[in-house]
């Protein structure tokens, strides 16, 4: 068993070993491997001649540790054959073979179509973008959703995650963004890459239907690792998806929107492998390199100066226990360019989308808005909404202690502002596509509920120009 | 046995070190007897750069500054015989390097938009021609740090060419004024042992070794940042240390960008250590367009950038901090005031943790190695104001961002950093959520330099500066206490004299402390403007006392037209003239007098 068989693959000789030293969770240990490299792709051949994929996690002169994406269930220590392919995990992609297609989490077609054959193979790990080559993202994407466009603006090439909780409407929100995003306006030049990691069948199907109904399906590639698919496979799915996205954006010049869901499942798979390896964990059992690992995915968004396309990422994650300080949302927030935070209290008030704007943020907003992009008053009116809503929430707390009757007249105005803000600005239908002008006008109607001397974030000139529709907000019908 | 090698033929190849194990960025190498600690090595045909980080019997552990994918056991390793170093010379300014000083502009030019491994280039451009003017002549005695001559490195920076430590002796030759490249020998020095050393416009220095200086000074000159909350309440000094801890999105990076743009340092070294690529791009786009308020030249002309973003190799991230500080010390040695930003030191600490984990070292708190505290201490210790070897004054100011998990300051990196820095600018999640920026929590933050900089402010700006700031801080602190009551009973429940504190604090918070990085005027406030603005707010606050004393309802004073004028001052005035502030003062007097007058009349 110690001697490798040499077979010849398309790229030259392939090393094959028979028999395993040890199987430990998702990991295999093979002894006496010669000539294989770190991070190399591996095929494991089961007795019934099925092939599972894996990669080398560490290797020394005598042992190679391999993670098996499809799990180790059913593998036999004596009969399993392990082939080292001599290259990292690669996919060969081409535009024709990608778009309008459905694949599993490792890139194998699920739609009966052809496997990838054209195009040159690409390492799914990608390469870091030279910061000098990046173009600063600053093109406004209108999503038609007021809480996003008005207060947490998305721009082309941004990575803006949705922090959600289990059972909240993150899927509906993501699907609505895909349908409405103006990025998708010019027909040929856009693509959607959808990568599912451990999501339920019905959720994935919901997305597919939504893409179909809005007529974008032919521009979508779906990579599906579903809830009952092997967990470790989730580690490779987003890498395949992003490799495809980079190809479409930077070689084909397309504007690509990537949805990664659910990153929490991805992180749990990473933890599982780390634990099996016996690594020293940092917080909550997650490996110390979780930050770097997530960054190796999230940083694969952006624009380049010398190439026309863009990769915009909307990762979705569910916060365990709705806890934003949990390592998964925490480290994500440290890497991404802001976050859209969904809130259970708002959801209970039947507000869709239940976006809590206070902890939400788009860091690229200030560059994507303003005269020539959206409107000159955008930044200040957004700041004013934030400040007023933050204050109103404080007053709500006070009112719940001393009673609503005993607060000052101004404070009462803040309470009606907050109510109108939630019911009219945040709340909208899932097919309601507001223009940026509609969103900003609505904002002005809302701040008109407050006395002018409270509007410290607005310039007098702006109030003169835009703040004319005093009091009309409360009369607006809510639907 | 013709075709099998003999023992003697085998020997030399056998003694060459080879890779025996690969785990992420960490390799084990054997035999290692010829390697020394911290020696640079090249791995394999691609010549991937690495550094020896431990030696145990015949096995060396190496951290590799590039992706190790595909490296196999048995790959040959070559020791380079020198430790990790940087090149120091003209051409640093305006350049962006990675963590081990690879020039990123050059890499893009040569190999495209993505960073490929094994692709290196000289850190400093060998072809560029510099105009050198000698300041010494043949026959002169030179010591380490002597200034050989000057090169105009940028429109802002005059590069002083220094005799490197270890090259002291007699100047045998020095070239005349003229144009030279970095490869040209510009001087020969004969050291006491009789060796002649050819000196060039640049030299090399190991990054993990502090550069020598004559003596340490006690810093007392403020480093003006143009950010009111910092300069007024938590000032920094040239040669000081500061930490900016805060959860994600609280404003660490923007604060450091603001400092990069507006501090009155001569040189800025900005290290993006394990952070976002776009943020570095942002700096690269902004700095050539913004003008230095002092020299009126583009700010990039005084800035050196180091970018080892979060997706770049983690070992090079660990090194980036040292690369940056060594460059900072080098300009200090020319007699400059250098400010170094490190965003984020937590990512550097995590790089340490990752490598330490791969070495299977015993972890201390939260998986960090036990030497975390001593490494942090050693880093901040490299800050300071010094008398250089050539008897000039120079300084390195260190400003480190800290990214505590969950925004919780009781974690190891924040806790240890706190022990080694004098300024602590604590960022506050709540303030950031309310879009109150800079979100520096004035109750949790502190500076050990407030009293030290007082004489400077009194002499350069206005006497009574310290009293003014102390008075403002007192209002803010009383307000914080009153807020507890307000939370329970509402503002209405307070008597007017206490309401006055709350309103005064509101003015301070909204019209003084809050400062927008994105507003063309507000982004920078000169010391003069800071004084005038604070003075006018406190003057109004004082006059409010008269209103309260005669029981005029406070809100009537707050509805005076002048209040709106006060709100606008920070956006409209640059502070180079005091007339507009005087006019507001008169308006305050007038309107308050009228109010008092009316009250007086009504009560009779
Ligand atoms: N001085 C300021 N003026 C205006 N806006 C600010 C200021 N400081 C921060 N902000 C806002 O806060 C956002 C987040 O700031 P920043 O990127 O500096 O956070 P950070 O603390 O560096 O976060 P991370 O740890 O995730 O890198 C900015 O995009 C900007 O919108
Ligand atoms: Mg930051």
């Amino acid at each position: 068993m110690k001697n490798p068989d040499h077979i010849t693959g398309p790229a030259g000789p392939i090393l094959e070993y028979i028999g395993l030293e040890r199987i430990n969770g998702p990991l295999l240990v093979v002894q006496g491997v010669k000539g294989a490299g770190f991070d190399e792709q591996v095929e494991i051949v089961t007795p019934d001649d099925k092939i599972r994929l894996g990669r080398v996690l560490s290797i020394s002169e005598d042992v190679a540790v391999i993670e098996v994406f499809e799990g180790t269930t059913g593998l036999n220590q004596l009969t399993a054959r392990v082939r080292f392919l001599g290259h990292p995990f690669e996919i060969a992609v081409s535009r024709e073979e990608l778009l309008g297609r459905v694949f599993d989490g490792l890139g194998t077609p699920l739609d009966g179509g052809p496997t990838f054959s054209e195009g040159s193979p690409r390492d799914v790990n990608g390469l870091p973008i030279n910061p000098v080559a990046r173009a600063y993202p600053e093109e406004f994407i209108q999503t038609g959703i007021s809480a996003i466009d008005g207060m947490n603006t998305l721009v082309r090439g941004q990575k803006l995650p949705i922090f959600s909780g289990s059972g909240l409407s993150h899927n509906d929100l993501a699907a609505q963004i895909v349908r409405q995003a103006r990025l998708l306006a010019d027909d040929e030049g856009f693509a959607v890459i959808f990568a599912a990691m451990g999501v339920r069948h019905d959720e994935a199907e919901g997305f597919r239907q939504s893409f179909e109904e809005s007529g974008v399906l032919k521009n979508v590639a779906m990579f599906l690792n579903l809830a009952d698919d092997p967990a470790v496979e989730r580690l490779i799915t987003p890498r395949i998806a992003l490799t495809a996205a980079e190809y479409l954006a930077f070689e084909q010049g397309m504007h690509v929107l990537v949805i990664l869901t659910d990153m929490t499942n991805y992180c749990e798979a990473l933890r599982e492998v780390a634990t099996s390896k016996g690594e020293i964990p940092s917080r909550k059992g997650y490996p110390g390199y979780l930050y770097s690992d997530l960054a190796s995915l999230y940083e694969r968004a952006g624009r380049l100066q010398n190439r026309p396309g863009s990769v915009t990422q909307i990762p979705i994650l569910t916060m365990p226990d709705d806890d934003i300080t949990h390592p998964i949302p925490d480290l994500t927030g440290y890497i991404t360019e802001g976050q859209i935070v969904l809130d259970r209290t708002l959801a209970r008030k039947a507000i869709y989308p239940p976006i809590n704007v206070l902890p939400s943020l788009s860091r690229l907003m200030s560059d994507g808005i303003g005269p020539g992009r959206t409107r000159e008053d955008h930044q200040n009116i957004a700041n004013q909404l934030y400040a007023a809503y933050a204050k109103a929430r404080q007053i709500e707390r006070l009112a719940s202690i001393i009673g609503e009757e005993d607060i000052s007249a101004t404070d009462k105005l803040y309470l009606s502002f907050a109510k109108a803000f939630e019911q009219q600005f945040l709340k909208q239908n899932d097919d309601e596509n507001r223009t940026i002008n509609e969103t900003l006008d609505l904002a002005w109607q809302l701040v008109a509920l407050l006395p002018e001397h409270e509007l410290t974030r607005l310039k007098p000139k702006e109030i003169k120009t835009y703040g004319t529709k005093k009091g009309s907000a409360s009369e607006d019908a809510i639907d | 046995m013709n075709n099998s090698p003999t023992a003697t033929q085998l020997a030399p190849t056998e003694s060459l070190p080879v890779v025996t194990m690969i785990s992420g960025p960490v390799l084990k190498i054997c035999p290692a007897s010829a390697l020394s600690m911290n020696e640079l090595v090249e791995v394999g045909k691609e010549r991937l750069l690495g550094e020896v980080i431990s030696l145990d019997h015949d096995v060396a552990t190496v951290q590799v500054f590039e992706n190790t994918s595909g490296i196999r056991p048995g790959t040959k390793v070559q020791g380079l015989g020198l430790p990790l170093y940087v090149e120091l010379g003209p051409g640093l300014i305006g350049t962006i390097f990675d963590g081990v000083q690879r020039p990123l502009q050059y890499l893009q030019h040569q190999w495209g938009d993505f960073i490929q491994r094994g692709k290196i280039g000289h850190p400093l451009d060998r072809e560029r021609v510099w105009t050198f003017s000698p300041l010494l002549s043949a026959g002169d005695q030179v010591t380490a740090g002597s200034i050989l001559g000057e090169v105009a490195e940028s429109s802002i920076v005059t590069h002083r060419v220094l005799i490197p430590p270890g090259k002291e002796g007699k100047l045998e030759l020095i070239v005349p004024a003229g144009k030279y490249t970095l490869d040209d020998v510009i001087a020969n020095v004969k050291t006491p042992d009789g060796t002649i050393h050819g000196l060039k416009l640049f030299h090399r220095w190991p990054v993990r070794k502090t550069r020598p200086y004559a003596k340490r000074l006690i810093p007392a000159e403020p480093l003006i940042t143009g950010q009111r909350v910092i300069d007024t309440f938590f000032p920094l000094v040239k040669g000081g240390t500061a930490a900016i801890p805060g959860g994600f999105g609280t404003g660490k990076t923007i604060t450091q960008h603001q400092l990069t743009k507006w501090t009155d340092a001569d040189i800025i070294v900005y290290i993006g250590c394990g952070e976002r690529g776009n943020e570095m791009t942002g700096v690269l786009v902004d700095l050539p367009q913004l003008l230095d308020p002092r020299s009126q030249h583009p700010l990039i002309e005084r800035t050196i950038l180091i970018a080892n973003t979060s997706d770049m190799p983690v070992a090079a991230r660990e090194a980036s901090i040292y690369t940056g500080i060594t460059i900072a010390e080098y300009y200090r040695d020319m007699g400059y005031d250098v400010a170094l930003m490190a965003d984020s030191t937590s990512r550097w600490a995590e790089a340490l943790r990752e490598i330490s984990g791969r070495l299977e070292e015993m972890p201390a708190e939260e998986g960090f190695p036990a030497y975390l505290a001593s490494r942090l201490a050693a880093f901040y210790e490299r800050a300071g104001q010094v008398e250089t070897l050539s008897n000039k004054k120079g300084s390195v100011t260190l400003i480190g961002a800290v990214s505590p998990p969950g925004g919780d300051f009781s974690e190891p990196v924040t806790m240890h950093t706190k022990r080694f820095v004098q300024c602590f600018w604590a960022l506050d999640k709540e303030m950031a959520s309310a879009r109150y920026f800079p979100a520096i929590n004035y109750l949790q933050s502190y500076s050990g330099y407030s009293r030290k900089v007082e004489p400077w402010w009194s002499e350069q700006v206005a006497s009574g500066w310290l009293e003014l700031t102390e008075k403002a801080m007192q209002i803010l602190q009383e307000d914080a206490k009153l807020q507890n009551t307000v939370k329970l009973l509402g503002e209405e429940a307070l008597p007017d004299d206490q309401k006055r504190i709350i309103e005064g604090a509101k003015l301070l918070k909204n019209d003084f402390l809050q400062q927008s990085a994105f507003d063309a005027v507000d982004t920078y406030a000169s010391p003069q403007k800071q004084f005038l603005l604070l003075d006018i707010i406190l003057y109004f606050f004082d006059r409010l006392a008269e209103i309260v004393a005669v029981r005029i309802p406070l809100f009537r004073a707050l509805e005076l037209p002048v209040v709106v004028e006060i709100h606008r001052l920070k956006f409209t005035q640059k502070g180079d003239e005091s007339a507009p502030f005087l006019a507001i003062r008169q308006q305050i007097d007038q309107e308050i007098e009228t109010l008092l007058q009316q009250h007086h009349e009504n009560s009779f």
Side-chain angles (χ1 to χ4, degrees):
Chain A
M1 107 175 202
K2 300 296 178 214
N3 283 329
D5 295 333
H6 287 271
I7 20 179
T8 307
I14 290 171
L15 300 175
E16 182 171 299
Y17 292 80
I18 301 172
L20 309 170
E21 184 68 18
R22 204 162 64 239
I23 304 178
N24 175 13
L27 305 181
L28 304 181
V29 177
V30 185
Q31 194 122 36
V33 176
K34 291 266 176 279
F38 171 68
D39 199 36
E40 196 166 312
Q41 190 175 357
V42 172
E43 288 178 354
I44 298 99
V45 190
T46 59
D48 54 351
D49 269 342
K50 292 249 162 57
I51 287 183
R52 294 187 194 176
L53 299 178
R55 81 179 150 186
V56 177
L57 281 188
S58 73
I59 184 161
S60 65
E61 280 172 316
D62 33 53
V63 285
V65 179
I66 293 159
E67 71 182 347
V68 186
F69 298 126
E70 286 125 309
T72 50
T73 315
L75 290 185
N76 180 293
Q77 260 184 293
L78 292 178
T79 57
R81 285 180 288 156
V82 179
R83 287 181 195 151
F84 294 86
L85 303 188
H87 56 74
F89 203 108
E90 289 173 339
I91 56 164
V93 287
S94 71
R95 186 167 173 164
E96 293 69 35
E97 287 172 339
L98 263 176
L99 294 180
R101 305 282 312 277
V102 183
F103 307 92
D104 73 3
L106 292 174
T108 312
L110 290 176
D111 55 5
T115 48
F116 295 131
S117 57
E118 293 167 27
S120 46
R122 291 156 186 278
D123 179 351
V124 298
N125 295 307
L127 288 171
I129 299 176
N130 188 329
V132 175
R134 284 183 185 268
Y136 199 77
E138 51 189 11
E139 293 151 291
F140 169 64
I141 299 175
Q142 180 173 301
T143 66
I145 295 161
S146 293
I148 297 179
D149 295 350
M151 302 176 75
N152 294 288
T153 318
L154 177 67
V155 298
R156 261 184 195 164
Q158 184 171 15
K159 39 192 180 290
L160 187 64
I162 299 174
F163 287 9
S164 186
S166 51
L168 295 181
S169 47
H170 45 267
N171 288 340
D172 297 332
L173 177 59
Q176 188 175 0
I177 294 174
V178 171
R179 285 195 305 270
Q180 298 183 172
R182 269 280 187 81
L183 156 104
L184 314 182
D186 58 310
D187 198 42
E188 278 314 298
F190 82 91
V192 177
I193 300 280
F194 178 82
M197 289 147 293
V199 309
R200 295 192 317 268
H201 283 262
D202 60 314
E203 290 178 275
E205 179 55 22
F207 273 101
R208 202 197 59 78
Q209 273 175 15
S210 157
F211 297 148
E212 187 165 23
E213 280 158 22
S214 52
V216 295
L217 200 57
K218 63 178 191 309
N219 290 332
V220 180
M222 298 182 84
F223 295 91
L224 305 179
N225 165 283
L226 299 175
D228 52 359
D229 286 333
V232 186
E233 188 179 296
R234 283 158 211 170
L235 298 181
I236 218 77
T237 307
R239 294 188 160 79
I240 292 179
L242 288 165
T243 304
E246 281 173 348
Y247 160 78
L248 292 173
F250 302 135
E251 313 254 312
Q252 300 289 312
M254 304 179 90
H255 293 296
V256 185
L257 182 64
V258 183
I259 309 271
L260 304 168
T261 179
D262 176 332
M263 289 306 295
T264 302
N265 296 331
Y266 170 87
C267 294
E268 280 168 359
L270 196 70
R271 175 171 67 177
E272 186 185 334
V273 172
T275 313
S276 301
K277 267 173 82 187
E279 288 174 2
I280 306 154
S282 65
R283 286 171 70 218
K284 299 220 162 142
Y286 290 91
Y289 50 81
L290 180 58
Y291 174 84
S292 300
D293 187 283
L294 285 173
S296 74
L297 301 176
Y298 296 144
E299 276 292 309
R300 294 173 79 174
R303 299 216 55 177
L304 299 176
Q305 274 167 26
N306 303 326
R307 309 188 196 208
S310 63
V311 176
T312 308
Q313 278 189 28
I314 302 189
I316 298 171
L317 60 86
T318 44
M319 299 181 277
D321 283 331
D322 291 350
D323 176 10
I324 198 168
T325 67
H326 184 282
I328 297 172
D330 190 48
L331 294 178
T332 298
Y334 270 124
I335 302 163
T336 52
E337 285 144 348
Q339 64 281 335
I340 304 291
V341 183
L342 303 192
D343 182 288
R344 209 166 288 281
T345 319
L346 287 172
R348 281 204 198 103
K349 292 190 201 167
I351 289 167
Y352 168 87
I355 297 176
N356 184 353
V357 294
L358 296 180
S360 298
L361 169 70
S362 163
R363 290 155 196 260
L364 301 181
M365 175 166 175
S366 58
D367 300 280
I369 63 172
R373 299 208 160 84
T374 56
R375 238 167 62 177
E376 55 175 359
D377 57 321
H378 195 158
Q379 183 73 60
N380 287 343
I381 187 74
N383 288 346
Q384 186 62 64
L385 286 180
Y386 272 114
Y389 187 60
K391 179 155 179 193
R393 294 283 287 255
Q394 265 176 12
I395 294 169
E396 262 169 31
R397 255 172 271 156
L398 174 71
S400 72
I401 303 172
I402 64 171
E404 207 164 308
E405 299 74 41
D406 288 334
I407 60 173
S408 72
T410 313
D411 285 358
K412 281 182 189 146
L413 292 177
Y414 270 100
L415 291 189
S416 39
F417 164 81
K419 204 163 169 190
F421 175 79
E422 290 175 2
Q423 292 296 334
Q424 297 172 38
F425 191 83
L426 293 186
K427 190 171 177 169
Q428 63 186 90
N429 287 333
D430 66 1
D431 58 358
E432 189 180 347
N433 191 353
R434 297 184 189 153
T435 66
I436 184 63
N437 272 323
E438 285 168 348
T439 290
L440 295 179
D441 289 346
L442 187 53
W444 277 100
Q445 289 169 29
L446 294 172
V447 299
L449 294 170
L450 298 170
E452 194 168 320
H453 63 81
E454 291 289 314
L455 306 181
T456 54
R457 307 298 176 97
L458 298 170
K459 298 196 172 160
K461 207 177 71 200
E462 292 167 337
I463 299 182
K464 224 174 258 158
T465 320
Y466 298 99
T468 47
K469 302 163 194 163
K470 210 164 188 61
S472 62
S474 40
E475 280 118 54
D476 275 8
I478 278 167
D479 71 339
Chain B
M1 303 292 280
N2 281 341
N3 45 6
S4 73
T6 64
T8 44
Q9 277 172 317
L10 256 180
T13 45
E14 243 180 8
S15 65
L16 272 183
V18 296
V19 174
T20 59
M21 192 273 304
I22 306 111
S23 168
V26 170
L27 311 182
K28 297 247 187 231
I29 284 167
C30 187
S33 46
L35 298 172
S36 348
M37 187 62 179
N38 291 117
E39 183 173 344
L40 280 180
V41 298
E42 284 178 351
V43 181
K45 282 202 200 77
E46 287 173 287
R47 299 173 59 189
L48 306 186
L49 202 64
E51 179 189 18
V52 176
I53 53 171
S54 92
L55 285 167
D56 183 4
H57 294 92
D58 213 13
V59 178
T61 307
V62 164
Q63 62 173 354
V64 181
F65 298 124
E66 303 196 54
N67 183 351
T68 51
S69 181
I71 302 285
R72 299 174 174 180
T75 304
K76 291 201 181 80
V77 176
Q78 176 83 48
L80 297 186
L82 72 179
L84 181 63
Y85 62 85
V86 284
E87 287 188 358
L88 301 170
L92 289 166
I93 299 284
T95 306
I96 177 167
F97 301 102
D98 82 349
V100 288
Q101 217 198 3
R102 269 178 295 214
L104 291 175
Q105 284 121 331
Y106 175 81
L107 292 196
Q108 188 213 8
H109 184 250
Q110 288 293 310
W111 290 290
D113 296 341
F114 294 84
I115 300 180
Q116 298 170 45
R117 70 178 190 187
K119 306 285 192 234
I120 49 175
H122 288 298
L124 297 177
D125 188 346
R126 293 297 191 273
E127 266 141 51
R128 189 153 166 197
V129 179
W130 299 98
T131 306
F132 172 74
S133 333
L135 291 175
L136 297 174
S137 358
D140 286 350
Q141 212 54 42
V142 293
T143 60
S146 296
I147 299 168
L148 207 50
E150 290 178 345
V151 167
E153 188 177 3
S154 76
S155 62
I156 299 181
V157 180
T158 301
H159 195 106
R160 302 189 174 122
V161 183
L162 307 175
I163 301 280
K167 304 280 162 71
E168 38 279 294
K170 193 169 150 229
L171 199 57
E172 295 274 299
L173 169 136
I174 183 161
V175 294
K179 296 190 183 303
Y180 302 93
T181 67
L182 293 193
D183 281 332
D184 295 326
V185 170
I186 53 154
N188 283 336
V189 173
K190 190 171 179 183
T191 46
D193 64 359
T195 347
I196 293 191
H197 299 271
L199 301 184
K200 299 179 176 178
L201 286 173
F202 78 103
H203 66 272
R204 291 178 173 156
W205 189 264
V207 298
R208 299 191 194 275
K209 193 169 156 195
T210 307
R211 286 177 62 88
Y213 48 82
K215 68 168 191 252
R216 263 182 189 266
L217 305 171
I218 312 264
E221 192 186 328
L223 184 81
I224 298 297
T225 66
Q227 310 304 301
R228 293 184 290 265
V229 60
I230 294 178
D231 293 344
T232 302
F233 289 132
F234 312 109
L236 186 52
V237 291
K238 290 176 175 154
T241 48
I244 319 176
F248 63 78
T250 50
K252 299 178 291 297
T253 304
I254 300 275
T255 305
Q256 291 197 320
H257 283 191
Q258 286 296 89
L259 266 55
T260 299
K261 291 169 187 168
W262 308 123
T263 51
D264 63 348
D266 300 310
I267 308 281
I268 304 286
V269 178
Y270 185 97
I271 311 172
C273 173
E275 291 287 319
R276 303 173 184 83
N278 278 331
E279 291 173 346
M280 295 312 296
T281 313
V283 181
L284 274 174
V285 172
D286 284 351
L287 291 191
Q289 292 169 14
L290 293 170
L291 297 186
D292 175 6
R294 295 182 302 164
S295 69
Q296 296 303 320
H297 289 293
L299 283 167
I300 191 77
E301 305 266 295
R302 63 159 193 182
T303 309
I304 296 149
L305 300 168
I306 293 167
N308 213 97
T309 55
S310 56
D311 54 341
M312 284 158 73
V314 65
R317 187 199 299 173
E318 192 275 332
S320 66
I321 291 283
Y322 297 98
T323 297
I325 191 127
T326 308
I327 293 173
E329 285 175 345
Y330 174 62
Y331 281 92
R332 172 203 69 189
D333 293 345
M334 294 179 208
Y336 289 123
D337 291 316
V338 186
L340 178 143
M341 320 289 154
D343 186 14
S344 158
T345 59
S346 293
R347 306 301 165 220
W348 166 79
E350 284 164 14
L352 272 188
R353 173 169 72 186
E354 180 171 345
I355 309 261
S356 160
R358 306 258 186 193
L359 295 175
E360 297 180 355
E361 290 173 338
M362 253 319 253
E365 312 127 289
E366 298 197 12
F368 286 106
Y371 46 80
L372 171 67
S374 60
R375 295 276 170 95
L376 274 169
F379 168 65
Y380 283 106
E381 197 53 26
R382 289 176 80 168
Q385 190 186 38
V386 302
E387 186 182 311
T388 67
L389 295 177
S390 53
N391 305 321
K392 288 182 176 290
K393 247 198 219 168
S395 67
V396 172
T397 309
L398 289 189
I399 300 134
V402 185
S403 317
D408 172 6
F409 291 179
S410 65
E411 58 89 40
V413 182
T414 318
M415 292 299 281
H416 290 308
T417 302
K418 223 172 168 172
R419 293 162 53 201
F420 311 125
V421 298
Q422 293 287 311
C423 284
F424 191 76
W425 300 326
L427 298 180
D428 186 298
K429 192 100 220 169
E430 288 253 322
M431 288 162 87
S433 307
R435 299 317 191 249
Y436 179 98
F437 291 115
I440 295 180
N441 181 318
Y442 46 79
L443 299 172
Q444 278 179 35
S445 303
Y446 56 81
S447 162
Y449 305 120
S450 295
R451 289 187 169 271
K452 290 208 176 103
V453 301
E454 194 273 330
W456 185 93
W457 278 88
S458 292
E459 281 158 33
Q460 306 286 325
V461 185
S463 57
W465 168 249
L466 193 64
E467 292 87 84
L468 204 64
T469 61
E470 284 179 348
K471 184 170 162 195
M473 186 43 93
Q474 203 186 341
I475 297 171
L476 291 168
Q477 276 169 349
E478 278 177 41
D479 167 73
K481 271 189 231 136
L482 291 174
Q483 288 299 338
N484 293 329
T485 319
V486 171
K487 260 184 214 135
L488 290 175
L489 300 171
E491 211 174 303
E492 294 302 298
L494 297 178
D496 264 12
D497 59 335
Q498 294 189 347
K499 260 191 208 158
R500 173 177 157 256
I501 302 284
I502 301 231
E503 294 302 329
K506 238 187 235 171
L507 288 174
L508 286 171
K509 288 188 260 187
N510 291 334
D511 302 326
F512 186 77
L513 295 180
Q514 201 180 106
Q515 187 173 0
S516 170
F518 304 128
D519 183 272
V521 175
D522 199 28
T523 183
Y524 169 78
S526 67
Q528 194 64 27
K529 172 172 175 176
Q530 299 191 29
F531 169 78
L532 290 168
L533 197 55
L534 189 58
D535 189 48
I536 202 89
I537 290 170
L538 292 180
Y539 180 71
F540 182 66
F541 174 75
D542 283 345
R543 298 233 52 182
L544 285 182
E546 295 168 44
I547 301 290
V548 173
V550 298
R551 297 177 191 277
I552 301 176
L554 192 60
F555 75 86
R556 299 214 22 221
L558 296 169
E559 285 173 357
L560 292 175
V562 74
V563 177
V564 178
E565 298 300 320
I566 296 176
H567 293 329
R568 290 166 68 174
L569 277 173
K570 64 175 179 181
F571 295 116
T572 49
Q573 298 304 318
K574 289 205 159 162
D576 28 22
E577 291 171 67
S578 51
F581 292 86
L582 267 178
I584 300 283
R585 201 182 175 101
Q586 281 162 2
Q587 197 183 339
I588 293 175
D589 287 340
Q590 243 168 34
E591 291 180 8
I592 295 273
E593 295 302 338
T594 316
L595 203 59
L596 289 169
Q597 194 72 37
Q598 282 168 356
H599 175 76
H600 192 70
E601 282 159 13
N602 289 347
S603 44
F604 285 98

